[in-house]
Amino acid sequence: MDLSFVKQKLEANANRGAGREKIDYTKIFWKPKAGKYQIRIIPNKFRKEWPLREIQMHYGFSKGPILALSNWGEEDPITGFAKGLRKSADKDDWTLANKISPKTRYFAPVIVRGEESAGVRLWEVGKLVNDQLMGIASDEDYGDFTDITDGRDFTVEAVEDVIAGRKGIKCNLRIKPKTTPISEDAALVEKVLNEQPDILAINRRYTYEALKEILTKWLNPEAEEEQVAPSTPSAPADPLPAAQSDWV
């Protein structure tokens, strides 16, 4: 045994991430607590045709979600494996496919009235809110609610509720009847239109091989345990990358 190698490995594990700048996610994401808010959805810098950006995420493989490679138009091994399972006539295969298939979440760039100095933050919502907003946009009485000069604010009433068996926040959305500009401050308007967080740049982008390894270990957890002899002390586990441990 090379004890110098063991020492170097332990030091590397202890210092991993020490040089990484800590990200304040409260400045990137807007997560309302119970209460009533007035917000404005801003035209999306990264998606001109619709303000909400669709993001595919893998859940259940780590403490936080993992961005699917399909977000970059690339082949994803977890998604591919799920598609293969759906070719089977076995009910259990379909159950597993549904479990590991990526889930779609939507991110809207918003400013919160009274908190304009915080700039644009991303509001994460599900399909129901996205569909509700599409219905409003298609209504000729409302139209483009993101319009810079003649758009509309929304009232968001956030209430505590039980969602999928867990306590969470449920948001009720109502559009304001009166049209208003984003702001009378031209500098603020320019800032919110051009300075928006990029959801794809915030979290770690895994390679195809890395995701394949994650899937393999998830499917065969015993295989990894068997590699370590019972009498051999194991080294401390590597901490999760920021993309997984700091996700909000």
Side-chain angles (χ1 to χ4, degrees):
M1 179 186 297
D2 186 346
L3 294 181
S4 63
F5 169 80
V6 175
K7 182 178 179 181
Q8 291 175 4
K9 183 65 175 177
L10 289 175
E11 290 178 350
N13 289 336
N15 294 328
R16 187 184 299 272
R20 185 175 61 222
E21 182 179 354
K22 185 174 178 61
I23 300 175
D24 184 356
Y25 285 98
T26 63
K27 295 180 178 179
I28 297 174
F29 296 95
W30 179 59
K31 298 189 70 174
K33 298 179 180 179
K36 187 177 288 187
Y37 306 85
Q38 185 171 331
I39 69 168
R40 181 61 164 262
I41 299 176
I42 306 299
N44 199 314
K45 174 183 177 181
F46 303 98
R47 189 184 185 189
K48 304 298 183 183
E49 66 273 17
W50 181 242
L52 278 71
R53 201 170 177 190
E54 298 177 19
I55 300 297
Q56 300 291 314
M57 296 181 172
H58 295 300
Y59 291 92
F61 295 94
S62 64
K63 290 184 178 179
I66 296 174
L67 298 182
L69 289 178
S70 56
N71 293 304
W72 291 275
E74 299 178 9
E75 185 179 356
D76 186 290
I78 300 177
T79 303
F81 182 71
K83 288 181 179 178
L85 290 173
R86 289 196 173 92
K87 296 178 181 179
S88 168
D90 192 312
K91 182 180 178 181
D92 290 339
D93 286 345
W94 276 78
T95 299
L96 179 58
N98 291 335
K99 182 176 182 179
I100 68 173
S101 291
K103 306 300 184 290
T104 303
R105 298 297 293 171
Y106 301 84
F107 292 84
V110 302
I111 55 172
V112 180
R113 295 303 187 190
E115 303 177 21
E116 285 88 350
S117 61
V120 174
R121 287 173 285 177
L122 300 178
W123 182 30
E124 180 182 355
V125 299
K127 185 177 184 298
L128 288 177
V129 171
N130 181 71
D131 289 351
Q132 181 183 359
L133 290 171
M134 281 193 163
I136 292 172
S138 64
D139 188 331
E140 61 182 15
D141 289 336
Y142 297 111
D144 185 2
F145 48 77
T146 68
D147 191 88
I148 297 173
T149 56
D150 294 311
R152 299 173 191 264
D153 286 3
F154 287 86
T155 297
V156 176
E157 186 174 1
V159 295
E160 293 183 351
D161 200 355
V162 177
I163 305 171
R166 300 174 62 183
K167 289 184 178 180
I169 294 292
K170 180 179 179 180
C171 293
N172 299 311
L173 196 65
R174 296 194 309 275
I175 191 168
K176 289 284 189 178
K178 183 180 179 181
T179 61
T180 57
I182 291 178
S183 175
E184 299 290 351
D185 184 345
L188 176 62
V189 173
E190 183 178 359
K191 179 179 179 180
V192 300
L193 291 177
N194 294 292
E195 298 180 15
Q196 300 180 13
D198 180 1
I199 185 64
L200 294 185
I202 294 168
N203 273 45
R204 178 177 175 181
R205 177 178 177 177
Y206 286 83
T207 64
Y208 183 95
E209 290 301 323
L211 284 183
K212 186 176 180 180
E213 182 178 356
I214 288 172
L215 174 62
T216 301
K217 290 181 179 179
W218 186 83
L219 291 171
N220 304 284
E222 300 85 0
E224 186 177 9
E225 294 175 1
E226 291 174 357
Q227 293 179 4
V228 181
S231 59
T232 304
S234 58
D238 289 345
L240 289 169
Q244 300 176 48
S245 59
D246 297 334
W247 184 270
V248 296

